[in-house]
């Protein structure tokens, strides 16, 4: 009875993010979760699910960690909130900024805090435009993103996103954004050629920054060619353009490195982060800037920096993040992500060998994807009417596995990002359930 009451209250009062309002009103919420433990979630009816997406790519250390609850409790009892405006400060934010600087690559040593990924990317865009303005080049405003990139749903971050569906809801919210081709399946040379063409067409003297994810997450877990990011760096250096690396998904161990860009020996000018910094236990994000940018800000800024959020540097969020990073390091979860990611990819490769509808498979650490096609050898897609991707997701859900579908250019992509604490046995269960599910759907389609 209580569950039915909650269903009705949900339909009446809760507008869900990135959801079908019509479907919610017809059916109510798909599931009402009750609790989490490790890599598992349990709903109100007692059904257990393997959270193979870390919810939204973010529960890196797993569900139900009492250490983070205790860190929050202790900080709330001591200092629940204090503003960081007007140079007010407090110890948790100072310590967290120092810690992030210590683990970030190269000379990225100063941190601006936000409440999440969209705010982080929004802030990075404003900071690079401010950087050029105080350097006497206010015409450098344009941001180049990549097609299939996802950077958030605030005004500028929506415009930086390269997935058209996110523009269609309310249109482009801000100006001076454009997109180059993703290198995925295009290759490094075509990707760099598209980026160079975009720079020269828009005018290098008007470009503030290139913005890219080390791995394009919501676009379908798109992994760049080995040399692509280094060539992006060289190209941007050639034209004097800054680089923003969006590490919102890839940061804090997800790819088997503390930051995803470390897989390619690539150093940007700014890093944006969120999600895994607190493993989703409390909202927090931020921007890490290079010493060069920080020095320019210190030397040339006049008066107040008119940008900040009420919860920038929230003391409780900072305390939780510090404990979260401590656990990632103490439990060697970055290395576990690397090892278990290799196990997961090996399982995906066996699927590719054994199932006709499995095309490209890929993973870096515990961030991976499996592509499904009518005939991968002939690059033949399924008809959208068949709903193959959603059918796989629904069948996995019925088998107690939560993951995420993406459909792009006719290809159905199943995405995976399990918590970094996942074990070898649990990876094997995940792959076995996936194999069995895809095989049954393949047989049903009579491929």
């Amino acid at each position: 009875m209580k569950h039915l009451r909650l269903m009705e209250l949900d339909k009446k009062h809760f507008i869900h993010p990135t959801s079908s309002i019509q479907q919610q009103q017809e059916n109510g919420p798909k599931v009402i979760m009750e609790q989490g433990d490790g890599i598992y979630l349990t709903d109100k009816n007692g059904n257990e699910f393997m959270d193979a997406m870390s919810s939204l790519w973010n529960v890196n250390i797993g569900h139900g960690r009492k250490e983070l609850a205790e860190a929050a409790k202790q900080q709330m009892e001591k200092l629940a909130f204090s503003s960081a405006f007007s140079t007010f400060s407090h110890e948790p934010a100072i310590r967290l900024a120092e810690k992030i600087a210590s683990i970030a690559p190269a000379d990225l040593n100063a941190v601006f805090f936000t409440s999440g990924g969209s705010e982080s990317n929004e802030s990075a865009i404003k900071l690079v435009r401010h950087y050029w303005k105080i350097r006497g080049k206010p015409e450098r405003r344009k941001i180049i993103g990549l097609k299939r990139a996802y950077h958030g749903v605030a005004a500028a971050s929506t415009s930086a996103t390269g997935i058209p569906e996110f523009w269609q809801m309310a249109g482009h919210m801000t100006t001076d954004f454009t997109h180059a081709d993703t290198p995925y399946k295009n290759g490094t040379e075509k990707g760099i050629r598209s980026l160079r063409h975009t720079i020269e067409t828009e005018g290098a003297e008007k470009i503030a920054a290139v913005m890219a994810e080390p791995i394009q997450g919501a676009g379908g877990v798109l992994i760049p060619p080995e040399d692509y990011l280094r060539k992006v760096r060289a190209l941007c250096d050639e034209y004097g353009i800054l680089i923003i690396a969006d590490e919102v998904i890839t940061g804090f161990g997800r790819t088997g490195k503390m930051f995803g860009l470390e897989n390619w020996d690539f150093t940007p000018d700014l890093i944006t982060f969120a999600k895994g910094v607190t493993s989703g236990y409390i909202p927090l994000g931020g921007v890490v800037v290079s010493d060069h940018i920080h020095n320019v800000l210190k030397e040339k800024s006049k008066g107040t920096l008119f940008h900040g959020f009420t919860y920038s540097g929230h003391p409780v969020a900072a305390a939780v993040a510090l404990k979260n990073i401590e656990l990632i390091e103490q439990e060697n979860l970055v290395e576990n992500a690397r090892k278990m990611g290799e196990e997961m990819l090996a399982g995906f490769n066996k699927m590719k060998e054994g199932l006709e509808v499995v095309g490209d498979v890929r993973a870096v650490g515990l961030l991976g994807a499996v592509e499904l096609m009518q005939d991968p050898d002939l690059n033949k897609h399924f008809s959208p009417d068949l709903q193959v991707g959603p059918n796989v997701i629904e069948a996995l859900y019925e088998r107690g596995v939560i993951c995420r579908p993406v459909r792009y250019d006719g290809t159905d992509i199943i995405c995976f990002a399990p918590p970094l604490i996942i074990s070898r046995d649990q990876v094997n269960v995940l792959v076995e359930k996936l194999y069995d599910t895809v095989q049954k759907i393949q047989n049903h389609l009579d491929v």
Side-chain angles (χ1 to χ4, degrees):
M1 200 63 160
K2 181 180 177 182
H3 183 262
L4 293 176
R5 173 65 174 156
L6 287 172
M7 296 275 284
E8 290 305 312
L9 290 173
D10 183 286
K11 291 166 66 174
K12 185 175 181 179
H13 299 295
F14 187 5
I15 301 175
H16 287 253
T18 316
S19 300
S20 168
I21 294 176
Q22 182 181 20
Q23 187 179 53
Q24 179 204 8
Q25 291 307 305
E26 290 175 355
N27 304 317
K30 183 178 182 66
V31 61
I32 300 176
M33 292 301 182
E34 176 80 0
Q35 64 184 39
D37 182 18
I39 70 165
Y40 299 101
L41 292 166
T42 304
D43 71 10
K44 279 283 188 181
N45 294 320
N47 300 308
E48 186 177 77
F49 301 89
M50 179 184 288
D51 185 3
M53 276 303 300
S54 297
S55 288
L56 281 176
W57 327 81
N58 61 340
V59 188
N60 286 14
I61 68 167
H63 298 279
R65 298 298 298 262
K66 291 181 172 55
E67 301 96 325
L68 297 194
E70 184 60 30
K73 174 180 179 291
Q74 289 180 7
Q75 185 58 48
M76 285 181 182
E77 290 174 343
K78 183 177 182 180
L79 177 68
F81 181 75
S82 178
S83 168
F85 283 25
S86 302
T87 75
F88 279 46
S89 200
H90 50 76
E91 186 172 352
I94 296 169
R95 295 293 186 198
L96 180 59
E98 176 194 38
K99 181 61 182 177
I100 290 173
S102 75
I103 61 178
D107 66 343
L108 290 113
N109 287 310
V111 184
F112 180 92
F113 288 113
T114 72
S115 303
S118 293
E119 286 185 1
S120 297
N121 286 323
E122 200 86 0
S123 298
I125 290 164
K126 291 179 74 172
L127 285 170
V128 297
R129 287 175 170 173
H130 177 65
Y131 164 88
W132 287 115
K133 183 178 180 181
I134 62 178
R135 285 195 59 190
K137 298 181 180 181
E139 68 279 3
R140 279 190 177 258
R141 288 184 48 79
K142 293 187 177 183
I143 305 295
I144 300 176
L146 296 181
K147 295 173 183 177
R148 298 182 69 168
Y150 178 78
H151 297 296
V153 293
S157 56
T158 295
S159 297
T161 289
I163 301 173
E165 287 81 354
F166 286 95
W167 309 331
Q168 291 165 4
M169 176 190 172
H172 280 285
M173 306 300 291
T174 59
T175 59
D176 296 322
F177 290 86
T178 189
H179 298 85
D181 291 336
T182 173
Y184 180 65
K185 291 191 176 179
N186 291 319
T188 293
E189 293 311 312
K190 285 186 178 179
I192 294 298
R193 191 156 58 244
S194 175
L195 183 55
R196 182 181 290 277
H197 174 75
T198 305
I199 290 170
E200 293 177 350
T201 299
E202 298 293 331
E205 72 283 357
K206 296 180 181 180
I207 308 298
V210 169
M211 193 170 192
E213 303 156 276
I215 297 172
Q216 292 180 284
V221 186
L222 308 183
I223 300 168
E226 179 63 31
D227 57 347
Y228 174 73
L229 291 172
R230 290 193 295 273
K231 290 195 174 183
V232 170
R233 175 79 272 177
L235 181 60
C236 288
D237 288 345
E238 178 183 339
Y239 288 104
I241 295 168
L242 299 175
I243 299 177
I244 303 168
D246 179 345
E247 291 265 6
V248 171
I249 288 175
T250 53
F252 302 96
R254 171 60 55 195
T255 67
K257 300 283 187 180
M258 187 59 80
F259 290 95
L261 57 86
E262 295 176 272
N263 289 282
W264 293 280
D265 190 27
F266 156 74
T267 304
D269 301 286
L270 304 91
I271 291 174
T272 59
F273 66 88
K275 295 189 184 291
V277 69
T278 62
S279 288
Y281 279 64
I282 196 166
L284 179 69
V287 185
V288 194
V289 305
S290 68
D291 289 340
H292 167 72
I293 291 176
H294 194 206
N295 288 335
V296 169
L297 294 177
K298 289 187 290 185
E299 293 167 7
K300 295 184 177 293
S301 289
K302 304 292 184 184
T304 300
L305 178 70
F306 280 98
H307 181 66
F309 305 98
T310 298
Y311 299 123
S312 291
H314 192 292
V316 177
V320 170
L322 282 164
K323 176 56 69 172
N324 178 68
I325 296 170
E326 178 185 312
L327 293 173
I328 289 172
E329 292 180 329
Q330 284 182 351
E331 298 177 10
N332 209 19
L333 295 184
V334 178
E335 178 64 9
N336 193 65
R338 185 189 68 79
K339 290 180 178 178
M340 294 305 101
E342 290 175 353
E343 293 284 334
M344 186 171 72
L345 182 57
F348 291 169
N349 279 315
K350 288 181 181 178
M351 289 182 57
K352 184 174 182 178
E353 294 169 5
L355 299 175
E356 295 175 35
V357 298
V358 176
D360 187 37
V361 299
R362 50 192 179 270
V364 177
L366 286 169
L367 185 58
V370 172
E371 293 192 354
L372 304 176
M373 301 178 73
Q374 181 80 29
D375 189 331
D377 292 334
L378 297 177
N379 199 34
K380 182 180 179 182
H381 305 296
F382 288 111
S383 165
D385 296 338
L386 291 175
Q387 293 287 300
V388 172
N391 287 341
V392 169
I393 295 299
E394 184 60 29
L396 281 169
Y397 175 80
E398 291 172 0
R399 289 170 168 81
V401 176
I402 297 172
C403 51
R404 180 171 178 166
V406 172
R407 185 174 176 86
Y408 204 94
D409 285 344
T411 301
D412 289 290
I413 307 169
I414 312 301
C415 303
F416 298 89
L420 311 189
I421 60 170
I422 195 168
S423 69
R424 181 173 282 103
D425 288 344
Q426 290 167 336
V427 169
N428 290 338
V429 169
L430 171 60
V431 172
E432 287 168 7
K433 288 189 176 186
L434 177 62
Y435 193 109
D436 180 61
T437 299
V438 174
Q439 185 176 48
K440 283 186 169 68
I441 287 177
Q442 174 181 284
N443 294 341
H444 178 71
L445 292 168
D446 194 27
V447 173

